[in-house]
Amino acid sequence: MEQTATFWIAAGAATFFVGMSKGGIPMVAMLGVPILSIFIAPGMAAGLLLPMYILSDVYAIWLFRGQYSARNVAILVPAGLIGVLIAFLVVSRVPVEATKLIVALIGLTYLADALRKRLAQDFRPRDADIARGLFWGAVSGFTSYISHAGGPPYQAYTLPQKLPKMTFAGTSAIVFACINWAKMPTYVLAGQLTWDSLKLISVLAPVVLFGAWAGYRATRWLPERMFFALINTALGLLCLKLLWEVGVAWL
């Protein structure tokens, strides 16, 4: 891994965006791996960023302490771990493009349903039911393991509940902290996470922590309606980005 000045700038930017996403602004998380993929293989980029995700997860849990949905955590964490295990067992048989396509379709289906309800003036929140939670939690763990794309399934389940913005972000911090910790051993076995990449933590740790703090402050500052409007917009852009990547790979 050639660590030029340009690489360090890109790594710093990617790390900052990872931190911001954990601070409650998930729309910037999509920038991390693409930025680093200019310099290294996408798989290695995902492995390099995993420790940054874990470090910022821990900080985000502290930032959002006491602001989470206990019921959602109880449902989504076990389901997410099951999804990670399934992905580890079948990852060699599932094309990455197929996973990206599934994630994109999940996100776009949710957005279409949300638009339909808005036009019909149906603003009733959904319950955190176990059946849907187990399904979407497992899908989040599965897609997070394969391509760091667990956000859309998680949002498809939690956004219809209309949780307060801080509760939404705090729940996300706990759920994905558990999922990311579970991914660590398997990334090591797959060679995506090496000793050299771990050594970069000492340099980039302040950047990811500052990003998490900045994301947390922005989350507190943004009005509730604007916050979720940005979440939905970012979800749509991420889905279109994934569809573009699938189209380029298959064509």
Side-chain angles (χ1 to χ4, degrees):
M1 184 186 304
E2 186 180 359
Q3 298 176 11
T4 63
T6 307
F7 168 80
W8 280 110
I9 293 172
T15 301
F16 178 77
F17 290 139
V18 166
M20 280 202 76
S21 72
K22 295 302 179 178
I25 310 294
M27 60 281 295
V28 298
M30 71 179 81
L31 302 174
V33 172
I35 290 174
L36 278 181
S37 296
I38 298 173
F39 301 92
I40 57 179
M44 293 303 296
L48 175 62
L49 288 177
L50 181 59
M52 307 306 167
Y53 275 105
I54 290 174
L55 179 60
S56 54
D57 281 330
V58 174
Y59 185 43
I61 290 174
W62 181 82
L63 286 172
F64 291 100
R65 57 194 181 279
Q67 301 178 95
Y68 62 91
S69 166
R71 178 172 175 80
N72 275 303
V73 168
I75 295 171
L76 292 171
V77 168
L81 298 181
I82 292 172
V84 170
L85 177 60
I86 294 173
F88 174 65
L89 295 175
V90 305
V91 65
S92 61
R93 303 181 182 89
V94 179
V96 174
E97 287 74 22
T99 302
K100 290 180 178 180
L101 179 61
I102 292 171
V103 171
L105 293 177
I106 288 171
L108 292 175
T109 299
Y110 159 73
L111 291 174
D113 185 61
L115 178 61
R116 178 190 64 79
K117 289 180 178 178
R118 186 172 185 82
L119 294 175
Q121 298 293 305
D122 182 3
F123 301 113
R124 293 170 297 176
R126 294 198 64 162
D127 294 328
D129 58 290
I130 295 176
R132 291 179 61 253
L134 291 176
F135 173 77
W136 289 119
V139 175
S140 291
F142 185 90
T143 55
S144 177
Y145 178 88
I146 292 179
S147 59
H148 280 332
Y154 169 82
Q155 292 163 8
Y157 173 66
T158 54
L159 284 176
Q161 297 176 34
K162 303 189 184 303
L163 300 169
K165 63 178 181 179
M166 302 302 282
T167 303
F168 171 85
T171 303
S172 174
I174 295 174
V175 171
F176 285 103
C178 296
I179 289 175
N180 286 330
W181 273 104
K183 287 154 58 175
M184 177 76 88
T186 56
Y187 270 50
V188 173
L189 291 174
Q192 291 176 263
L193 188 59
T194 65
W195 181 247
D196 287 338
S197 60
L198 285 174
K199 288 191 294 186
L200 295 176
I201 295 178
S202 60
V203 179
L204 296 174
V207 178
V208 76
L209 294 178
F210 176 68
W213 176 84
Y216 174 75
R217 298 298 297 181
T219 299
R220 293 191 62 182
W221 172 77
L222 285 171
E224 193 103 355
R225 179 175 293 183
M226 182 181 295
F227 175 82
F228 285 110
L230 288 173
I231 296 290
N232 285 329
T233 301
L235 177 59
L237 292 175
L238 173 59
C239 292
L240 293 176
K241 174 180 175 294
L242 291 173
L243 289 177
W244 172 264
E245 292 177 359
V246 171
V248 170
W250 284 354
L251 293 177

